[in-house]
């Protein structure tokens, strides 16, 4: 197996065209929220637009954010700590729309396998790929970023997944090795004070930061099958 790193919609579309397994990494916060929902036994339907989420038939809950703020009229914002405390019933259908993560998931459609990865499930996702993958397969770990710009938290979470893949015998291409090197040089405190973290703090979501940065806290593997994320 061969793994690489790419970013944003362009990287996701290219990976899908190449037939790679795609791991979508939106650490602050869609991938983390999806992992929490899967741990609770929910079915998660990611959609790119607020309008589609609002009108989606049969949804038990609607989760949405734009600019990190909760979408008015939705049941929850894109907050893993809020979701963890919520009484979401196993088997519930949850529709999710976020500023970046669900848009990148949409761009990756066409890939044979799409997973949601973050710090909270980094090793579980990597281990599932190693044990279940074809030896000749390609893996693309995609950092979602923020509105077309790089996001250090996504790069660092991607690095944790890629490093674990390397431990499992997966060959990493140069972009993946560079992301790991950058992560190792990056201080943990910088992830708590970058632009995304400051935005969450302004919106009183500071509690999400510790949760999103907790390595392997939610060891589930969300897989997108027929447009729905479910667990193993």
């Amino acid at each position: 197996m061969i793994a690489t790193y790419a970013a944003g919609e362009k990287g996701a579309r290219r990976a899908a065209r190449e037939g790679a397994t795609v791991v979508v990494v939106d650490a602050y916060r869609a991938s983390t929220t999806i992992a929490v929902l899967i741990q609770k036994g929910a079915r998660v339907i990611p959609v790119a637009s607020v309008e589609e989420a609002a009108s989606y038939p049969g949804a038990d809950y609607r989760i949405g954010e734009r600019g990190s703020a909760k979408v008015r009229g939705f049941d929850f914002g894109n907050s893993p700590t809020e979701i963890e405390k919520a009484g979401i019933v196993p088997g519930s259908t949850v529709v999710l729309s976020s500023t970046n993560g669900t848009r990148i998931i949409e761009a990756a459609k066409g890939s044979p396998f799409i997973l949601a990865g973050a710090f909270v499930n980094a090793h579980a996702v990597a281990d599932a790929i190693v044990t279940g993958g074809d030896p000749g397969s390609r893996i693309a770990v995609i950092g979602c970023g923020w509105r077309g710009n790089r996001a250090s938290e996504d790069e660092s979470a991607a690095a944790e997944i890629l490093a674990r893949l390397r431990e499992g015998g997966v060959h990493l291409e140069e972009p993946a090795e560079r992301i790991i090197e950058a992560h190792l040089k990056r201080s943990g405190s910088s992830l708590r004070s970058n632009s995304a973290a400051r935005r969450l703090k302004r919106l009183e979501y500071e509690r999400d930061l510790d949760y999103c940065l907790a390595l392997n806290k939610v060891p589930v593997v969300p897989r997108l099958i027929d447009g729905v994320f479910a667990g193993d």
Side-chain angles (χ1 to χ4, degrees), residues 121-175:
N121 65 345
H123 288 185
V125 166
D127 291 350
I129 291 171
V130 169
T131 58
D134 185 307
S137 63
R138 289 188 60 81
I139 303 118
V141 181
I142 309 294
C144 289
W146 175 260
R147 293 177 172 169
N149 297 311
R150 293 172 59 185
S152 58
E153 71 275 8
D154 293 343
E155 292 182 357
S156 282
E160 291 286 355
I161 296 168
L162 289 161
R164 184 72 169 189
L165 288 171
R166 186 173 61 187
E167 289 175 9
V170 176
H171 173 73
L172 302 189
E173 293 184 336
E174 185 178 349

Side-chain angles (χ1 to χ4, degrees), residues 169-223:
V170 176
H171 173 73
L172 302 189
E173 293 184 336
E174 185 178 349
E177 293 285 3
R178 287 200 305 267
I179 284 294
I180 293 173
E181 289 174 12
H183 170 54
L184 293 175
K185 295 175 182 176
R186 185 177 292 127
S187 69
S189 61
S190 70
L191 296 178
R192 299 175 186 275
S193 59
N194 66 9
S195 59
R198 293 195 301 272
R199 188 167 52 251
L200 291 174
K201 290 174 184 178
R202 285 197 303 271
L203 293 166
E204 299 183 350
Y205 282 117
E206 185 172 0
R207 62 192 180 279
D208 283 346
L209 294 176
D210 285 340
Y211 199 103
C212 290
L213 291 169
L215 189 62
N216 304 319
K217 182 180 180 67
V218 190
V220 300
V221 184
R223 300 177 185 271

Side-chain angles (χ1 to χ4, degrees), residues 38-155:
I38 295 303
Q39 188 178 58
K40 282 179 164 285
R43 302 169 64 253
V44 185
I45 300 170
V47 298
S49 74
V50 168
E51 292 76 18
E52 187 178 357
S55 62
Y56 195 93
D60 296 303
Y61 304 98
R62 289 177 172 81
I63 296 174
E65 59 83 12
R66 284 298 180 274
S68 299
K70 177 185 173 185
V71 174
R72 180 177 295 182
F74 279 31
D75 298 292
F76 304 104
N78 182 24
S79 167
T81 58
E82 185 180 8
I83 298 304
E84 186 182 50
K85 294 176 182 177
I88 292 177
V89 178
S92 298
T93 297
V94 179
V95 178
L96 169 67
S97 184
S98 69
T99 305
N100 305 291
T102 56
R103 191 181 74 250
I104 306 306
I105 293 166
E106 181 74 24
K109 287 187 176 176
S111 166
F113 302 102
I114 300 175
L115 312 177
F119 286 105
V120 297
N121 65 345
H123 288 185
V125 166
D127 291 350
I129 291 171
V130 169
T131 58
D134 185 307
S137 63
R138 289 188 60 81
I139 303 118
V141 181
I142 309 294
C144 289
W146 175 260
R147 293 177 172 169
N149 297 311
R150 293 172 59 185
S152 58
E153 71 275 8
D154 293 343
E155 292 182 357

